[in-house]
Amino acid sequence: VLASAGGIDETLSFHATKFQEKGLQPNNFSDRAIIKMLVKNNRLSRALKFKHWVESPQDFVTQYDEDPNFSLKPRKLDVLSYASMIEHCAHKEELGSALLLLKECVNIHGYAPGENALRKIRSLCRKHNLDDEIQELEALVGKDPYEWIAEGETLYKREYSKKGNRNFREMRNIRTRI
């Protein structure tokens, strides 16, 4: 609830203290909620810092250090957390950061996030004619499953536009004129 309605600092401190009070380890869902909150508020640098903290908590001094019986175990972010960061970078047209996060996600999990997160990266590569990045992206995640739509869309738009349709209507009406 705090991740969607509360402040950023309040939510981060809640995440850092409440798990220790209950003696629980944070899970992927709570980490994903924090990452999505930070990305939604355009705080990608803080999201990356939080990701580093999740992956290696021993590098950071936190409230967890006060209790000698409680220690955080390093864990990995899930694919959906990576997808939200990749999508954010792609929408901000930060292609390099998006590709680095994508490579990291594939190295850690063995597969890429869904096509929804990759669609904007593919369109940026096509828009700027970056053939090397397209080849690299296809090597990582495979061919674009929506490529056939982009090829057929140009024909579809011309056929059903007003200018392209002027002779097409007459062809349809030939059947009624006979």
Side-chain angles (χ1 to χ4, degrees), residues 3-4 10 25 36 43 67 76 83 85 92 101 111 117 120 127-128 133 138 140 149 151 165 176-177:
S4 61
E10 182 183 354
Q25 292 286 331
K36 284 190 174 188
R43 305 286 195 271
D67 187 5
K76 297 175 184 171
M85 289 191 291
K92 296 287 182 181
L101 283 168
Y111 56 93
K120 184 69 176 174
K127 178 181 171 185
H128 298 297
E133 279 75 9
E138 285 182 359
L140 273 176
I149 293 175
E151 290 174 5
N165 199 10
T176 58
R177 284 189 277 159

Side-chain angles (χ1 to χ4, degrees), residues 16-168:
T17 57
K18 292 301 177 181
F19 283 105
Q20 180 186 9
E21 288 176 9
K22 302 291 183 185
L24 300 172
Q25 292 286 331
N27 58 9
N28 283 341
F29 181 76
S30 61
D31 296 338
R32 186 183 330 132
I34 299 288
I35 291 286
K36 284 190 174 188
M37 176 201 61
L38 292 170
V39 167
K40 181 181 170 186
N41 290 312
N42 293 324
R43 305 286 195 271
L44 186 65
S45 60
R46 286 182 85 172
L48 292 173
K49 186 177 179 183
F50 180 77
K51 179 183 88 68
H52 182 64
W53 178 75
V54 164
E55 291 171 349
S56 56
Q58 66 275 7
D59 294 346
F60 295 89
V61 177
T62 63
Q63 290 90 355
Y64 291 121
D65 297 333
E66 296 171 4
D67 187 5
N69 298 329
F70 187 81
S71 65
L72 276 176
K73 296 180 179 84
R75 51 197 191 280
K76 297 175 184 171
L77 291 180
D78 59 349
V79 177
L80 297 175
S81 301
Y82 276 104
S84 64
M85 289 191 291
I86 290 169
E87 208 169 343
H88 175 77
C89 288
H91 282 290
K92 296 287 182 181
E93 296 193 4
E94 298 170 357
L95 188 59
S97 300
L99 286 173
L100 284 174
L101 283 168
L102 178 63
K103 285 179 191 175
E104 185 178 336
C105 178
V106 170
N107 287 339
I108 289 175
H109 295 287
Y111 56 93
E115 186 61 32
N116 218 14
L118 304 175
R119 179 175 258 172
K120 184 69 176 174
I121 294 176
R122 293 184 196 274
S123 68
L124 279 174
C125 290
R126 279 194 302 270
K127 178 181 171 185
H128 298 297
N129 294 326
L130 301 173
D131 294 331
D132 296 336
E133 279 75 9
I134 291 174
Q135 299 294 332
E136 184 180 334
L137 189 62
E138 285 182 359
L140 273 176
V141 296
K143 294 194 111 198
D144 187 5
Y146 298 107
E147 189 174 359
W148 63 274
I149 293 175
E151 290 174 5
E153 216 170 53
T154 56
L155 298 173
Y156 181 79
K157 286 180 181 174
R158 265 188 257 128
E159 185 177 319
Y160 288 102
S161 67
K162 185 175 181 180
K163 187 174 182 181
N165 199 10
R166 63 181 171 221
N167 295 328
F168 195 67

